[in-house]
Amino acid sequence: MSASDYRCDGFYQYPGRAAREAARITLHPASLTLHLDAGQRLFTVAQLTVSPPLENIPLAITFPDGGRFMPADNTRFRDWYFRHRTPSPVYFLERHKGGIAAALVGVVLAVVLYVMVLLPWLSGVIAQQLPVTVEQHLGEYSARYLDEQGLEASQLSAARQTQLQTLFTRVIPAEMRHEAGLRLRIMRFPEEANALMLPDGTMVLSDALVARAKSDDALAAVMLHEIGHYRHRHSLQMLVRSSLVTLTVMVVVGDVDGIGDTLLQSALFINEMRYSRSMEDEADAYAIAEMKRQGRSLAAMEQIFSALKEEHADDDELTLPDWLSTHPNMDARLERIRQASGG
């Protein structure tokens, strides 16, 4: 035994046995000797498997045959072992509490960057690259879903429906008239004034919303808002984002059973609340810009949005935080329209 060697007492557990017996090891500069009553064996550092060095939890050395040795002097063995093997990041974090805080901050920043920057950009890029057939299939599925929800054929007169079809054709921005999918479908919603754009470019307009519009420009504002959704492929972006969130949670959790499923539902909820709002803002901005370009009245846009606000006044009884609202605050929305019109 040389002067650089160090003896360390402990307990040895034979492979497949629960009982332990007193034993010791000798730490050499680049190897280790295990001393047992039955004899002694020499091992290189590469042959050893050591349990993660967490806090004050005793280390366990596992040998190639499955035998295990628990050294009594953890500190001395750690120092020897990590002179030959690079410790894991967990070891450094455990020894430097500030590193734990820095790691947590880093994780939070990475999540924020992913949700606020990478996810929107990536979903936008992917949505723009999806083939038209995807939009068509989604549009067909959405149309069937609306029919199942009780939407019926419009009860407006044939003449009025023709006027609305003509208005829709005129409202479509010049650069989008090549879009073969853009079309108007007028329907009767169950006691609701509404309008929406399906993924394939079919705009659905309700009889009740037509009744609340006091001018064609008011209806044009609604049409342009929905065309803005289609122009930016918002429905496809929502689909891609939800899919990316699903995949992300599955990778992090490992599966979607139990707590994984709960995390998945929460992630999807937060994702949709955050981005459906930003998309509404984008569609509003598109509609305002196009209304001004076409020389249409922004006062008419304000009128129809005000009418929709009054209709859904009961929804405001439950006041949600601004960041948790699916749609933009209506007062702020109307104020942006007034500012754009110079009012």
Side-chain angles (χ1 to χ4, degrees), residues 8-314:
C8 179
D9 294 327
F11 295 93
Y12 180 77
Q13 184 177 11
Y14 283 93
R17 298 183 188 177
R20 301 186 304 172
E21 68 174 42
R24 71 174 185 274
I25 56 175
T26 300
L27 305 177
H28 309 296
S31 60
L32 174 155
T33 299
L34 173 64
H35 301 273
L36 300 172
D37 291 340
Q40 61 184 35
R41 287 181 289 170
L42 182 68
F43 299 94
T44 64
V45 176
Q47 292 177 293
L48 307 177
T49 300
V50 178
S51 60
L54 300 176
E55 200 59 48
N56 294 320
I57 299 176
L59 294 173
I61 308 166
T62 302
F63 300 100
D65 63 355
R68 301 180 68 194
F69 180 83
M70 281 66 72
D73 191 345
N74 280 320
T75 302
R76 186 65 177 265
F77 177 76
R78 288 188 192 198
D79 292 341
W80 173 85
Y81 184 71
F82 290 135
R83 284 200 299 270
H84 305 284
R85 285 289 183 88
T86 301
S88 67
V90 175
Y91 174 72
F92 287 111
L93 292 176
E94 187 265 332
R95 291 171 62 89
H96 303 88
K97 303 303 181 183
I100 298 177
L104 290 175
V105 171
V107 170
V108 172
L109 290 177
V111 171
V112 171
L113 179 65
Y114 176 73
V115 173
M116 303 295 291
V117 179
L118 182 59
L119 188 59
W121 174 80
L122 188 58
S123 61
V125 171
I126 295 175
Q128 295 295 336
Q129 301 302 318
L130 290 176
V132 176
T133 53
V134 174
E135 295 180 345
Q136 294 172 344
H137 289 313
L138 288 174
E140 293 171 0
Y141 174 83
S142 301
R144 287 198 301 271
Y145 175 79
L146 292 177
D147 291 337
E148 294 171 357
Q149 299 307 304
L151 273 68
E152 304 171 352
S154 174
Q155 296 182 355
L156 298 177
S157 66
R160 182 54 173 152
Q161 291 190 49
T162 299
Q163 291 174 351
L164 293 173
Q165 292 289 351
T166 301
L167 175 63
F168 182 73
T169 301
R170 292 175 177 173
V171 161
I172 297 174
E175 72 275 8
M176 293 190 67
R177 288 177 184 166
H178 69 281
E179 300 279 355
L182 282 172
R183 63 180 64 85
L184 176 65
R185 184 181 180 186
I186 309 167
M187 303 188 73
R188 179 180 177 276
F189 285 49
E191 301 179 359
E192 183 179 1
N194 205 346
L196 52 93
M197 178 65 74
L198 303 186
D200 63 349
T202 299
M203 178 183 171
V204 182
L205 184 67
S206 73
D207 290 358
L209 192 146
V210 174
R212 284 161 179 72
K214 295 183 178 179
S215 66
D216 281 354
D217 277 359
L219 290 172
V222 174
M223 292 175 178
L224 286 169
H225 174 89
E226 298 303 327
I227 290 174
H229 282 308
Y230 182 70
R231 170 66 180 79
H232 294 288
R233 299 301 192 265
H234 285 160
S235 58
L236 290 180
Q237 287 189 45
M238 289 295 288
L239 174 66
V240 172
R241 287 175 183 174
S242 295
S243 300
L244 289 175
V245 170
T246 300
L247 292 173
T248 300
V249 173
M250 289 179 67
V251 169
V252 172
V253 177
D255 58 56
V256 291
D257 295 330
I259 189 171
D261 188 49
T262 300
L263 290 173
L264 174 59
Q265 293 179 22
S266 299
L268 289 173
F269 172 77
I270 294 172
N271 174 62
E272 295 208 7
M273 296 300 279
R274 169 66 181 86
Y275 291 111
S276 62
R277 172 178 183 140
S278 67
M279 291 173 181
E280 291 291 343
D281 288 341
E282 193 171 28
D284 279 350
Y286 180 88
I288 290 172
E290 193 59 31
M291 287 282 286
K292 294 172 72 173
R293 194 190 69 79
Q294 294 184 17
R296 296 185 182 277
S297 170
L298 289 182
M301 184 176 186
E302 181 182 349
Q303 179 271 310
I304 190 62
F305 278 35
S306 296
L308 292 174
K309 176 188 175 184
E310 293 175 3
E311 175 163 333
H312 297 281
D314 292 341

